[in-house]
Structure formats: structure tokens, C-alpha cells
Amino acid sequence: MQIKPFRIEQYFGKYEFTAKYLLSSSDAESRAIQELLDLEPGAHDRLLKHWCGYTESPGAPDLRQAIAAIYHPLSPDDVLVVAAAEEGIFVLYHALAGPGDHIIVETPCYESGLEVARSTGAQVSEWPRSFESGWAHNVAVLEKLLQPNTKIIYINTPHNPTGLLMPAGIFKQVLDLAASRRIILFSDEVYRELEHEPATRLPAACEVYENAVSLGSMSKTYGLPGLRLGWLASRNPEILRRCLGFRYYTTICNSAPSEFLSALALRHREVLVQRNRELVLRNLQLLDAFILRRSNRFEWVRPNASPIGFVRLKPEQDVLAFCEKTVRDAGVLLLPGTVYDQPRHIRFGFGRKNMPEALAQFGAYLDSHP
Ligand SMILES: Cc1ncc(COP(=O)(O)O)c(C=O)c1O
């Protein structure tokens, strides 16, 4: 298997644990284990007694139940638990595609959505979106990309890196297109439930199309990436059976303590979502005002979901050099758009509690470097 370097994770790997201020993280504020245990009486004692043997490969029954409850109408059998969304992407592409197949990927995207698809040996086409057209989705272009051997279409909504939801009408057209040719719709929904206005939430793809797979994660909306737990949800048992078959070669089953804590967290997910949504809304106001005040240097399409947004630098300059200088001189970590092949953009993250402090630090740095 040939696979390209994962530029996003490499960049974070270089700075994430040394930079003083993180202003580009894609996850919402996390919590300590103690706070999770406080969500339910008796949880502390139950965790201490939790068995650390191998677990059931599709996922612990109570966890699959808690995940299935997110979707209507899905049952625990429609869920395969994996070691975070990253494993879900790897397993799904490799279980279902290979040389001779064609995959379409919405871009720009989280790099593994594209590069893991390529690593299967399948032919991969990008379905591109651009800042110039307000990050609009052109369904006519998607339709033209379809081939008789198109096996999978990967979409991501809410979207990394723009923080935008796919408009409901477009989502429906993409579903109809996939359904008309029985193409698997792989819908990366790791930021779902963090829409800034909950009424704008789209149905999960797995709820409305039997050949769709919804990708979920504890990492982003719920702010628990350290649990390394995610899932694939689909009403097509054959898809999940093949993913499980491949998954025996990756992790076999999940971490027992992570399953325990994830099930507990999901049973109380409104508590987690509400706190994180409040943080995101408070911080977004600050960032939006910041960008407006500095409209000679920055512009963006204001995000409407997730804790991330994609900001264009004006005038044109080397964003990689800008971000590296900012982290070195001001201790503020930004993610250069070069890692998404978008060399005029910077990804911001605004899901963390100390975001106002990080933004103030960045502002002070900019003011001293006009
Ligand atoms: C769109 C998208 N999909 C998947 C992932 C992987 O998430 P996880 O931490 O669950 O592996 C990320 C992480 O940034 C992401 O942004």
C-alpha cells in the first residue's frame, strides 16, 4: 500500500503539544474522566470493576445502543464501533474498494478522506469546492464525475475545513444521485450535533438511504478525542459485515475503558453538546468581529456548524511561512491551508474555553507586526 504523508497531522504533530495557544483545533473543549463519571450515580464504582478482557468486535451492546439512539430508526445491529473516525475511514475504504473501482471525494477535505481512498488502488476523482464560489456545491459537476464503476462518494457535513453545512437541497440531490446508481454514500458526520442553530441539522445519511454509511466520533462535538472511539452506522448489513471482516486485521475490538466511558458520555450527550455549543457560539462572535475589524487582512465565509472556520489571507502571501512565524514568535498555533492544497487560507478553531485569550494573543501579535 502506498500512501502520502498526512500533512494535517504532521503539522499538528510538530506544534500541538508545545505551542502555548491552540487557535486551530477541530475538537471542542474536552473533559476529565471525573466529570464523565459524575454524570451518572454509581459510574465511578462501575468503571473500577469494568473488565479489561477483549470486547465484542462490533462494539459493546450498551454502547451500540447509545449510538443507535442518535439515529432514527436505527438499531444496535446497524452500528460498528471502531477506534475513532480515523479507523472508520481506513476500514471502510479498504473493505469496500480497490483497483478497478472509482471513488469520488468532496474536496478540500480532511486528508484521510482523500488519501486513504487513493491508497486502495481505486481511481479517485475530486468533487471540488472553492472560496470564490462561496464554497458552493455544484451537483452538475458531481454528476459528470460519475462512472459506471463509481463505488463510493465521500462527503463531509458539517465540513472540515470550512465549518459549513451542506445545504439541505444539495444533500437531497447527492442522496438521490447515489441512490439512482446504488452507489455507497460515505458521509463523514463527525461534527454533527454541533450545528450553530440546531434546527438546521441535516438527517444523518444512514437514516435516509440504505446504502449510506454515517461516520461518527466521540472526538469533535462531544470533545472526547482521547477516548479514540468512533463508529460506522448503516442500514446495509453487508457493508458493515465487510467492514468488520477487514477490521479484524486492524484493531480486532475496542478499548474496554473507552467503550465504558463513551457509552456513559453518549447517554448524557445533550449535557456535553450544550456546553460545547455555548462555547462555540461565544467564540464565533469574537472571531467574526476580529475578522471584520481586520478586513484588510482577512475574509471568510462565516461558518454555521462545527468549531472550525477557513479564513482567507489578503493580500496573497505565503501562509505556511505566516503560520510558522506566528507559532514561533507568538506561541499561537494556526493551521496553514497548504495542508489542504488551499494556499491562501488558514484554518481557525474556536471550540476551546481559552479561545478568547488565544485570539487576544494573536491580535496583539498582529498589531505589533502590521
Ligand atoms: C472530517 C473528519 N473526519 C474524521 C476525523 C478523524 O477523527 P477521529 O479523531 O475520530 O479519528 C477528523 C479529525 O479531524 C475530521 O475532521
Side-chain angles (χ1 to χ4, degrees), residues 8-9 26-27 83-87 89 109-110 112-113 154 156 158-160 188-191 215-220 225 228-230 308 340 347:
I8 299 173
E9 298 302 340
S26 62
D27 48 344
E86 191 60 39
E87 188 189 22
I89 294 172
C109 70
Y110 184 63
S112 51
Y154 169 92
N156 171 216
H159 180 241
N160 179 353
D188 185 334
E189 299 169 1
V190 299
Y191 299 97
L215 179 68
S217 173
M218 296 307 293
S219 299
K220 311 296 181 182
R228 303 316 295 140
L229 196 128
I308 50 180
Y340 292 90
R347 192 186 82 187

PDB file of all heavy atoms in Angstrom, residues 8-9 26-27 83-87 89 109-110 112-113 154 156 158-160 188-191 215-220 225 228-230 308 340 347, ligand 1:
ATOM      1  N   ILE A   8      -1.791  17.333   7.507  1.00  0.00           N
ATOM      2  CA  ILE A   8      -2.505  17.997   8.611  1.00  0.00           C
ATOM      3  C   ILE A   8      -1.970  17.481   9.950  1.00  0.00           C
ATOM      4  O   ILE A   8      -1.590  18.254  10.835  1.00  0.00           O
ATOM      5  CB  ILE A   8      -4.031  17.709   8.531  1.00  0.00           C
ATOM      6  CG1 ILE A   8      -4.619  18.245   7.229  1.00  0.00           C
ATOM      7  CG2 ILE A   8      -4.758  18.279   9.754  1.00  0.00           C
ATOM      8  CD1 ILE A   8      -6.089  17.861   6.999  1.00  0.00           C
ATOM      9  N   GLU A   9      -1.908  16.154  10.069  1.00  0.00           N
ATOM     10  CA  GLU A   9      -1.489  15.579  11.352  1.00  0.00           C
ATOM     11  C   GLU A   9      -0.003  15.808  11.592  1.00  0.00           C
ATOM     12  O   GLU A   9       0.427  15.990  12.732  1.00  0.00           O
ATOM     13  CB  GLU A   9      -1.846  14.089  11.410  1.00  0.00           C
ATOM     14  CG  GLU A   9      -3.349  13.803  11.322  1.00  0.00           C
ATOM     15  CD  GLU A   9      -4.189  14.471  12.412  1.00  0.00           C
ATOM     16  OE1 GLU A   9      -3.637  14.856  13.456  1.00  0.00           O
ATOM     17  OE2 GLU A   9      -5.410  14.635  12.190  1.00  0.00           O
ATOM     18  N   SER A  26      -9.726  21.286  15.948  1.00  0.00           N
ATOM     19  CA  SER A  26     -11.037  20.990  15.363  1.00  0.00           C
ATOM     20  C   SER A  26     -11.967  20.324  16.366  1.00  0.00           C
ATOM     21  O   SER A  26     -13.122  20.049  16.054  1.00  0.00           O
ATOM     22  CB  SER A  26     -10.868  20.093  14.140  1.00  0.00           C
ATOM     23  OG  SER A  26     -10.281  18.865  14.535  1.00  0.00           O
ATOM     24  N   ASP A  27     -11.473  20.049  17.555  1.00  0.00           N
ATOM     25  CA  ASP A  27     -12.338  19.435  18.572  1.00  0.00           C
ATOM     26  C   ASP A  27     -12.827  20.495  19.545  1.00  0.00           C
ATOM     27  O   ASP A  27     -12.173  21.509  19.772  1.00  0.00           O
ATOM     28  CB  ASP A  27     -11.585  18.338  19.329  1.00  0.00           C
ATOM     29  CG  ASP A  27     -10.205  18.801  19.807  1.00  0.00           C
ATOM     30  OD1 ASP A  27      -9.712  19.835  19.309  1.00  0.00           O
ATOM     31  OD2 ASP A  27      -9.631  18.146  20.674  1.00  0.00           O
ATOM     32  N   ALA A  83     -12.036   2.269  16.380  1.00  0.00           N
ATOM     33  CA  ALA A  83     -11.121   3.091  17.183  1.00  0.00           C
ATOM     34  C   ALA A  83     -11.022   4.487  16.572  1.00  0.00           C
ATOM     35  O   ALA A  83     -10.044   4.820  15.917  1.00  0.00           O
ATOM     36  CB  ALA A  83      -9.748   2.432  17.244  1.00  0.00           C
ATOM     37  N   ALA A  84     -12.083   5.262  16.739  1.00  0.00           N
ATOM     38  CA  ALA A  84     -12.174   6.641  16.239  1.00  0.00           C
ATOM     39  C   ALA A  84     -12.478   6.673  14.742  1.00  0.00           C
ATOM     40  O   ALA A  84     -12.325   5.674  14.027  1.00  0.00           O
ATOM     41  CB  ALA A  84     -10.921   7.457  16.559  1.00  0.00           C
ATOM     42  N   ALA A  85     -12.900   7.850  14.284  1.00  0.00           N
ATOM     43  CA  ALA A  85     -13.312   8.001  12.891  1.00  0.00           C
ATOM     44  C   ALA A  85     -12.181   7.627  11.938  1.00  0.00           C
ATOM     45  O   ALA A  85     -12.411   7.105  10.851  1.00  0.00           O
ATOM     46  CB  ALA A  85     -13.765   9.437  12.645  1.00  0.00           C
ATOM     47  N   GLU A  86     -10.967   7.910  12.371  1.00  0.00           N
ATOM     48  CA  GLU A  86      -9.812   7.612  11.512  1.00  0.00           C
ATOM     49  C   GLU A  86      -9.786   6.129  11.125  1.00  0.00           C
ATOM     50  O   GLU A  86      -9.530   5.783   9.971  1.00  0.00           O
ATOM     51  CB  GLU A  86      -8.543   8.002  12.285  1.00  0.00           C
ATOM     52  CG  GLU A  86      -7.295   8.012  11.479  1.00  0.00           C
ATOM     53  CD  GLU A  86      -7.350   8.992  10.309  1.00  0.00           C
ATOM     54  OE1 GLU A  86      -7.897  10.088  10.452  1.00  0.00           O
ATOM     55  OE2 GLU A  86      -6.854   8.626   9.241  1.00  0.00           O
ATOM     56  N   GLU A  87     -10.047   5.245  12.068  1.00  0.00           N
ATOM     57  CA  GLU A  87     -10.087   3.819  11.722  1.00  0.00           C
ATOM     58  C   GLU A  87     -11.299   3.527  10.834  1.00  0.00           C
ATOM     59  O   GLU A  87     -11.224   2.706   9.914  1.00  0.00           O
ATOM     60  CB  GLU A  87     -10.133   2.916  12.959  1.00  0.00           C
ATOM     61  CG  GLU A  87      -9.961   1.452  12.540  1.00  0.00           C
ATOM     62  CD  GLU A  87     -10.201   0.408  13.633  1.00  0.00           C
ATOM     63  OE1 GLU A  87     -10.895   0.691  14.626  1.00  0.00           O
ATOM     64  OE2 GLU A  87      -9.701  -0.712  13.465  1.00  0.00           O
ATOM     65  N   ILE A  89     -12.570   5.402   8.536  1.00  0.00           N
ATOM     66  CA  ILE A  89     -12.233   5.778   7.154  1.00  0.00           C
ATOM     67  C   ILE A  89     -11.351   4.701   6.524  1.00  0.00           C
ATOM     68  O   ILE A  89     -11.586   4.233   5.412  1.00  0.00           O
ATOM     69  CB  ILE A  89     -11.527   7.162   7.126  1.00  0.00           C
ATOM     70  CG1 ILE A  89     -12.492   8.255   7.567  1.00  0.00           C
ATOM     71  CG2 ILE A  89     -10.953   7.451   5.745  1.00  0.00           C
ATOM     72  CD1 ILE A  89     -11.850   9.631   7.770  1.00  0.00           C
ATOM     73  N   CYS A 109     -10.771  18.535   1.887  1.00  0.00           N
ATOM     74  CA  CYS A 109     -11.307  17.684   2.957  1.00  0.00           C
ATOM     75  C   CYS A 109     -10.210  17.272   3.926  1.00  0.00           C
ATOM     76  O   CYS A 109      -9.028  17.463   3.662  1.00  0.00           O
ATOM     77  CB  CYS A 109     -11.955  16.437   2.364  1.00  0.00           C
ATOM     78  SG  CYS A 109     -10.788  15.275   1.637  1.00  0.00           S
ATOM     79  N   TYR A 110     -10.663  16.716   5.043  1.00  0.00           N
ATOM     80  CA  TYR A 110      -9.747  16.074   5.983  1.00  0.00           C
ATOM     81  C   TYR A 110      -8.969  15.043   5.174  1.00  0.00           C
ATOM     82  O   TYR A 110      -9.567  14.220   4.480  1.00  0.00           O
ATOM     83  CB  TYR A 110     -10.558  15.435   7.110  1.00  0.00           C
ATOM     84  CG  TYR A 110      -9.717  14.819   8.193  1.00  0.00           C
ATOM     85  CD1 TYR A 110      -8.865  15.604   8.969  1.00  0.00           C
ATOM     86  CD2 TYR A 110      -9.772  13.465   8.451  1.00  0.00           C
ATOM     87  CE1 TYR A 110      -8.093  15.044   9.971  1.00  0.00           C
ATOM     88  CE2 TYR A 110      -9.008  12.889   9.458  1.00  0.00           C
ATOM     89  CZ  TYR A 110      -8.171  13.690  10.207  1.00  0.00           C
ATOM     90  OH  TYR A 110      -7.413  13.128  11.194  1.00  0.00           O
ATOM     91  N   SER A 112      -7.412  12.265   5.183  1.00  0.00           N
ATOM     92  CA  SER A 112      -7.559  10.816   5.017  1.00  0.00           C
ATOM     93  C   SER A 112      -8.771  10.488   4.150  1.00  0.00           C
ATOM     94  O   SER A 112      -8.795   9.426   3.518  1.00  0.00           O
ATOM     95  CB  SER A 112      -7.615  10.086   6.361  1.00  0.00           C
ATOM     96  OG  SER A 112      -8.558  10.665   7.192  1.00  0.00           O
ATOM     97  N   GLY A 113      -9.774  11.383   4.102  1.00  0.00           N
ATOM     98  CA  GLY A 113     -10.921  11.154   3.219  1.00  0.00           C
ATOM     99  C   GLY A 113     -10.480  10.955   1.785  1.00  0.00           C
ATOM    100  O   GLY A 113     -11.065  10.174   1.028  1.00  0.00           O
ATOM    101  N   TYR A 154     -17.671  10.141  -1.158  1.00  0.00           N
ATOM    102  CA  TYR A 154     -17.384  10.624   0.207  1.00  0.00           C
ATOM    103  C   TYR A 154     -17.792  12.083   0.306  1.00  0.00           C
ATOM    104  O   TYR A 154     -17.352  12.914  -0.498  1.00  0.00           O
ATOM    105  CB  TYR A 154     -15.884  10.482   0.510  1.00  0.00           C
ATOM    106  CG  TYR A 154     -15.411  11.194   1.780  1.00  0.00           C
ATOM    107  CD1 TYR A 154     -15.371  10.533   3.003  1.00  0.00           C
ATOM    108  CD2 TYR A 154     -15.009  12.528   1.744  1.00  0.00           C
ATOM    109  CE1 TYR A 154     -14.941  11.175   4.166  1.00  0.00           C
ATOM    110  CE2 TYR A 154     -14.573  13.184   2.906  1.00  0.00           C
ATOM    111  CZ  TYR A 154     -14.543  12.493   4.105  1.00  0.00           C
ATOM    112  OH  TYR A 154     -14.119  13.141   5.249  1.00  0.00           O
ATOM    113  N   ASN A 156     -18.630  15.305   3.419  1.00  0.00           N
ATOM    114  CA  ASN A 156     -18.357  15.660   4.817  1.00  0.00           C
ATOM    115  C   ASN A 156     -19.195  16.888   5.190  1.00  0.00           C
ATOM    116  O   ASN A 156     -18.969  17.972   4.685  1.00  0.00           O
ATOM    117  CB  ASN A 156     -16.855  15.935   4.971  1.00  0.00           C
ATOM    118  CG  ASN A 156     -16.471  16.520   6.321  1.00  0.00           C
ATOM    119  OD1 ASN A 156     -15.575  17.354   6.413  1.00  0.00           O
ATOM    120  ND2 ASN A 156     -17.135  16.093   7.375  1.00  0.00           N
ATOM    121  N   PRO A 158     -21.284  18.530   8.864  1.00  0.00           N
ATOM    122  CA  PRO A 158     -20.569  19.794   8.721  1.00  0.00           C
ATOM    123  C   PRO A 158     -19.119  19.559   8.293  1.00  0.00           C
ATOM    124  O   PRO A 158     -18.522  18.557   8.636  1.00  0.00           O
ATOM    125  CB  PRO A 158     -20.647  20.391  10.122  1.00  0.00           C
ATOM    126  CG  PRO A 158     -21.859  19.763  10.755  1.00  0.00           C
ATOM    127  CD  PRO A 158     -21.921  18.384  10.201  1.00  0.00           C
ATOM    128  N   HIS A 159     -18.612  20.566   7.579  1.00  0.00           N
ATOM    129  CA  HIS A 159     -17.422  20.363   6.772  1.00  0.00           C
ATOM    130  C   HIS A 159     -16.119  20.865   7.404  1.00  0.00           C
ATOM    131  O   HIS A 159     -16.058  21.990   7.899  1.00  0.00           O
ATOM    132  CB  HIS A 159     -17.662  21.084   5.427  1.00  0.00           C
ATOM    133  CG  HIS A 159     -16.534  20.981   4.459  1.00  0.00           C
ATOM    134  ND1 HIS A 159     -15.863  22.097   4.004  1.00  0.00           N
ATOM    135  CD2 HIS A 159     -15.956  19.919   3.854  1.00  0.00           C
ATOM    136  CE1 HIS A 159     -14.932  21.713   3.139  1.00  0.00           C
ATOM    137  NE2 HIS A 159     -14.974  20.402   3.030  1.00  0.00           N
ATOM    138  N   ASN A 160     -15.114  20.020   7.347  1.00  0.00           N
ATOM    139  CA  ASN A 160     -13.740  20.391   7.671  1.00  0.00           C
ATOM    140  C   ASN A 160     -13.047  20.664   6.338  1.00  0.00           C
ATOM    141  O   ASN A 160     -13.012  19.770   5.491  1.00  0.00           O
ATOM    142  CB  ASN A 160     -13.066  19.209   8.394  1.00  0.00           C
ATOM    143  CG  ASN A 160     -11.632  19.482   8.764  1.00  0.00           C
ATOM    144  OD1 ASN A 160     -11.061  20.495   8.397  1.00  0.00           O
ATOM    145  ND2 ASN A 160     -11.029  18.546   9.491  1.00  0.00           N
ATOM    146  N   ASP A 188     -19.262  11.620   6.160  1.00  0.00           N
ATOM    147  CA  ASP A 188     -18.455  11.907   7.347  1.00  0.00           C
ATOM    148  C   ASP A 188     -19.184  12.979   8.150  1.00  0.00           C
ATOM    149  O   ASP A 188     -19.248  14.153   7.770  1.00  0.00           O
ATOM    150  CB  ASP A 188     -17.071  12.385   6.877  1.00  0.00           C
ATOM    151  CG  ASP A 188     -16.102  12.595   8.015  1.00  0.00           C
ATOM    152  OD1 ASP A 188     -16.555  12.866   9.142  1.00  0.00           O
ATOM    153  OD2 ASP A 188     -14.877  12.510   7.773  1.00  0.00           O
ATOM    154  N   GLU A 189     -19.754  12.531   9.273  1.00  0.00           N
ATOM    155  CA  GLU A 189     -20.621  13.414  10.071  1.00  0.00           C
ATOM    156  C   GLU A 189     -20.048  13.626  11.470  1.00  0.00           C
ATOM    157  O   GLU A 189     -20.783  13.724  12.447  1.00  0.00           O
ATOM    158  CB  GLU A 189     -22.027  12.785  10.138  1.00  0.00           C
ATOM    159  CG  GLU A 189     -22.652  12.639   8.756  1.00  0.00           C
ATOM    160  CD  GLU A 189     -23.923  11.773   8.722  1.00  0.00           C
ATOM    161  OE1 GLU A 189     -24.364  11.281   9.778  1.00  0.00           O
ATOM    162  OE2 GLU A 189     -24.462  11.575   7.608  1.00  0.00           O
ATOM    163  N   VAL A 190     -18.701  13.689  11.553  1.00  0.00           N
ATOM    164  CA  VAL A 190     -18.092  13.764  12.889  1.00  0.00           C
ATOM    165  C   VAL A 190     -18.403  15.076  13.621  1.00  0.00           C
ATOM    166  O   VAL A 190     -18.249  15.148  14.831  1.00  0.00           O
ATOM    167  CB  VAL A 190     -16.560  13.518  12.866  1.00  0.00           C
ATOM    168  CG1 VAL A 190     -16.236  12.136  12.334  1.00  0.00           C
ATOM    169  CG2 VAL A 190     -15.823  14.575  12.072  1.00  0.00           C
ATOM    170  N   TYR A 191     -18.857  16.095  12.879  1.00  0.00           N
ATOM    171  CA  TYR A 191     -19.213  17.368  13.553  1.00  0.00           C
ATOM    172  C   TYR A 191     -20.727  17.514  13.725  1.00  0.00           C
ATOM    173  O   TYR A 191     -21.209  18.576  14.098  1.00  0.00           O
ATOM    174  CB  TYR A 191     -18.672  18.573  12.763  1.00  0.00           C
ATOM    175  CG  TYR A 191     -17.171  18.569  12.633  1.00  0.00           C
ATOM    176  CD1 TYR A 191     -16.556  18.063  11.493  1.00  0.00           C
ATOM    177  CD2 TYR A 191     -16.360  19.032  13.664  1.00  0.00           C
ATOM    178  CE1 TYR A 191     -15.182  18.025  11.374  1.00  0.00           C
ATOM    179  CE2 TYR A 191     -14.982  19.001  13.554  1.00  0.00           C
ATOM    180  CZ  TYR A 191     -14.401  18.502  12.405  1.00  0.00           C
ATOM    181  OH  TYR A 191     -13.041  18.468  12.308  1.00  0.00           O
ATOM    182  N   LEU A 215     -20.451   8.322   9.376  1.00  0.00           N
ATOM    183  CA  LEU A 215     -19.252   8.191  10.204  1.00  0.00           C
ATOM    184  C   LEU A 215     -19.398   9.119  11.409  1.00  0.00           C
ATOM    185  O   LEU A 215     -19.621  10.323  11.243  1.00  0.00           O
ATOM    186  CB  LEU A 215     -18.020   8.597   9.382  1.00  0.00           C
ATOM    187  CG  LEU A 215     -16.673   8.557  10.091  1.00  0.00           C
ATOM    188  CD1 LEU A 215     -16.251   7.118  10.416  1.00  0.00           C
ATOM    189  CD2 LEU A 215     -15.599   9.217   9.221  1.00  0.00           C
ATOM    190  N   GLY A 216     -19.302   8.551  12.608  1.00  0.00           N
ATOM    191  CA  GLY A 216     -19.434   9.359  13.827  1.00  0.00           C
ATOM    192  C   GLY A 216     -18.208   9.206  14.707  1.00  0.00           C
ATOM    193  O   GLY A 216     -17.390   8.301  14.501  1.00  0.00           O
ATOM    194  N   SER A 217     -18.090  10.089  15.691  1.00  0.00           N
ATOM    195  CA  SER A 217     -16.896  10.084  16.535  1.00  0.00           C
ATOM    196  C   SER A 217     -17.179  10.735  17.883  1.00  0.00           C
ATOM    197  O   SER A 217     -18.003  11.642  17.988  1.00  0.00           O
ATOM    198  CB  SER A 217     -15.796  10.877  15.825  1.00  0.00           C
ATOM    199  OG  SER A 217     -14.684  11.035  16.651  1.00  0.00           O
ATOM    200  N   MET A 218     -16.452  10.283  18.904  1.00  0.00           N
ATOM    201  CA  MET A 218     -16.524  10.950  20.206  1.00  0.00           C
ATOM    202  C   MET A 218     -15.662  12.213  20.211  1.00  0.00           C
ATOM    203  O   MET A 218     -15.718  13.003  21.150  1.00  0.00           O
ATOM    204  CB  MET A 218     -16.001  10.018  21.317  1.00  0.00           C
ATOM    205  CG  MET A 218     -16.798   8.754  21.558  1.00  0.00           C
ATOM    206  SD  MET A 218     -18.551   9.053  21.842  1.00  0.00           S
ATOM    207  CE  MET A 218     -18.536   9.922  23.411  1.00  0.00           C
ATOM    208  N   SER A 219     -14.841  12.406  19.150  1.00  0.00           N
ATOM    209  CA  SER A 219     -13.762  13.395  19.217  1.00  0.00           C
ATOM    210  C   SER A 219     -14.200  14.857  19.168  1.00  0.00           C
ATOM    211  O   SER A 219     -13.642  15.686  19.882  1.00  0.00           O
ATOM    212  CB  SER A 219     -12.784  13.172  18.062  1.00  0.00           C
ATOM    213  OG  SER A 219     -12.193  11.903  18.138  1.00  0.00           O
ATOM    214  N   LYS A 220     -15.132  15.194  18.291  1.00  0.00           N
ATOM    215  CA  LYS A 220     -15.318  16.606  17.936  1.00  0.00           C
ATOM    216  C   LYS A 220     -16.427  17.258  18.733  1.00  0.00           C
ATOM    217  O   LYS A 220     -16.185  18.055  19.631  1.00  0.00           O
ATOM    218  CB  LYS A 220     -15.590  16.723  16.438  1.00  0.00           C
ATOM    219  CG  LYS A 220     -14.603  15.963  15.573  1.00  0.00           C
ATOM    220  CD  LYS A 220     -13.205  16.497  15.675  1.00  0.00           C
ATOM    221  CE  LYS A 220     -12.269  15.715  14.767  1.00  0.00           C
ATOM    222  NZ  LYS A 220     -10.899  16.153  14.862  1.00  0.00           N
ATOM    223  N   PRO A 225     -11.658  13.329  22.192  1.00  0.00           N
ATOM    224  CA  PRO A 225     -10.811  12.626  21.224  1.00  0.00           C
ATOM    225  C   PRO A 225      -9.865  11.616  21.876  1.00  0.00           C
ATOM    226  O   PRO A 225      -9.453  10.650  21.251  1.00  0.00           O
ATOM    227  CB  PRO A 225     -10.024  13.751  20.533  1.00  0.00           C
ATOM    228  CG  PRO A 225     -10.022  14.874  21.516  1.00  0.00           C
ATOM    229  CD  PRO A 225     -11.338  14.769  22.237  1.00  0.00           C
ATOM    230  N   ARG A 228     -10.495   7.899  21.703  1.00  0.00           N
ATOM    231  CA  ARG A 228     -10.234   7.204  20.426  1.00  0.00           C
ATOM    232  C   ARG A 228     -11.361   6.229  20.120  1.00  0.00           C
ATOM    233  O   ARG A 228     -11.159   5.008  20.015  1.00  0.00           O
ATOM    234  CB  ARG A 228      -8.884   6.466  20.436  1.00  0.00           C
ATOM    235  CG  ARG A 228      -7.676   7.297  20.721  1.00  0.00           C
ATOM    236  CD  ARG A 228      -7.654   8.618  19.973  1.00  0.00           C
ATOM    237  NE  ARG A 228      -7.556   8.526  18.521  1.00  0.00           N
ATOM    238  CZ  ARG A 228      -8.234   9.326  17.704  1.00  0.00           C
ATOM    239  NH1 ARG A 228      -9.087  10.249  18.156  1.00  0.00           N
ATOM    240  NH2 ARG A 228      -8.089   9.209  16.409  1.00  0.00           N
ATOM    241  N   LEU A 229     -12.534   6.766  19.966  1.00  0.00           N
ATOM    242  CA  LEU A 229     -13.681   5.902  19.682  1.00  0.00           C
ATOM    243  C   LEU A 229     -14.607   6.561  18.666  1.00  0.00           C
ATOM    244  O   LEU A 229     -14.935   7.750  18.779  1.00  0.00           O
ATOM    245  CB  LEU A 229     -14.430   5.595  20.986  1.00  0.00           C
ATOM    246  CG  LEU A 229     -15.387   4.406  20.826  1.00  0.00           C
ATOM    247  CD1 LEU A 229     -15.167   3.355  21.887  1.00  0.00           C
ATOM    248  CD2 LEU A 229     -16.826   4.861  20.782  1.00  0.00           C
ATOM    249  N   GLY A 230     -14.990   5.788  17.666  1.00  0.00           N
ATOM    250  CA  GLY A 230     -15.907   6.277  16.642  1.00  0.00           C
ATOM    251  C   GLY A 230     -16.775   5.138  16.146  1.00  0.00           C
ATOM    252  O   GLY A 230     -16.740   4.031  16.711  1.00  0.00           O
ATOM    253  N   ILE A 308     -14.857  25.036  13.639  1.00  0.00           N
ATOM    254  CA  ILE A 308     -13.768  25.476  12.761  1.00  0.00           C
ATOM    255  C   ILE A 308     -14.267  26.394  11.647  1.00  0.00           C
ATOM    256  O   ILE A 308     -15.444  26.373  11.282  1.00  0.00           O
ATOM    257  CB  ILE A 308     -13.000  24.279  12.124  1.00  0.00           C
ATOM    258  CG1 ILE A 308     -13.960  23.276  11.499  1.00  0.00           C
ATOM    259  CG2 ILE A 308     -12.078  23.626  13.109  1.00  0.00           C
ATOM    260  CD1 ILE A 308     -13.261  22.085  10.861  1.00  0.00           C
ATOM    261  N   TYR A 340      -4.254  21.509   2.965  1.00  0.00           N
ATOM    262  CA  TYR A 340      -5.486  21.135   2.243  1.00  0.00           C
ATOM    263  C   TYR A 340      -5.366  21.499   0.755  1.00  0.00           C
ATOM    264  O   TYR A 340      -6.378  21.561   0.067  1.00  0.00           O
ATOM    265  CB  TYR A 340      -6.684  21.918   2.782  1.00  0.00           C
ATOM    266  CG  TYR A 340      -7.144  21.611   4.180  1.00  0.00           C
ATOM    267  CD1 TYR A 340      -6.624  22.307   5.270  1.00  0.00           C
ATOM    268  CD2 TYR A 340      -8.135  20.661   4.414  1.00  0.00           C
ATOM    269  CE1 TYR A 340      -7.077  22.057   6.558  1.00  0.00           C
ATOM    270  CE2 TYR A 340      -8.594  20.407   5.701  1.00  0.00           C
ATOM    271  CZ  TYR A 340      -8.056  21.110   6.764  1.00  0.00           C
ATOM    272  OH  TYR A 340      -8.517  20.867   8.035  1.00  0.00           O
ATOM    273  N   ARG A 347      -6.821  27.645   8.686  1.00  0.00           N
ATOM    274  CA  ARG A 347      -7.945  27.105   9.457  1.00  0.00           C
ATOM    275  C   ARG A 347      -7.868  27.593  10.895  1.00  0.00           C
ATOM    276  O   ARG A 347      -6.820  27.481  11.546  1.00  0.00           O
ATOM    277  CB  ARG A 347      -7.958  25.572   9.445  1.00  0.00           C
ATOM    278  CG  ARG A 347      -9.290  25.051   9.988  1.00  0.00           C
ATOM    279  CD  ARG A 347      -9.289  23.550  10.119  1.00  0.00           C
ATOM    280  NE  ARG A 347      -8.645  23.114  11.339  1.00  0.00           N
ATOM    281  CZ  ARG A 347      -8.395  21.837  11.646  1.00  0.00           C
ATOM    282  NH1 ARG A 347      -8.721  20.891  10.794  1.00  0.00           N
ATOM    283  NH2 ARG A 347      -7.815  21.513  12.776  1.00  0.00           N
TER     284      ARG A 347
HETATM  285  C1  LIG B   1     -13.851  15.378   8.889  1.00  0.00           C
HETATM  286  C2  LIG B   1     -13.061  14.497   9.818  1.00  0.00           C
HETATM  287  N1  LIG B   1     -13.214  13.183   9.758  1.00  0.00           N
HETATM  288  C3  LIG B   1     -12.549  12.349  10.578  1.00  0.00           C
HETATM  289  C4  LIG B   1     -11.665  12.839  11.516  1.00  0.00           C
HETATM  290  C5  LIG B   1     -10.947  11.877  12.432  1.00  0.00           C
HETATM  291  O1  LIG B   1     -11.477  11.978  13.738  1.00  0.00           O
HETATM  292  P1  LIG B   1     -11.115  10.991  14.931  1.00  0.00           P
HETATM  293  O2  LIG B   1     -10.459  11.801  15.994  1.00  0.00           O
HETATM  294  O3  LIG B   1     -12.430  10.438  15.417  1.00  0.00           O
HETATM  295  O4  LIG B   1     -10.238   9.923  14.394  1.00  0.00           O
HETATM  296  C6  LIG B   1     -11.449  14.211  11.601  1.00  0.00           C
HETATM  297  C7  LIG B   1     -10.463  14.765  12.549  1.00  0.00           C
HETATM  298  O5  LIG B   1     -10.033  15.899  12.472  1.00  0.00           O
HETATM  299  C8  LIG B   1     -12.184  15.064  10.742  1.00  0.00           C
HETATM  300  O6  LIG B   1     -12.046  16.400  10.798  1.00  0.00           O
END
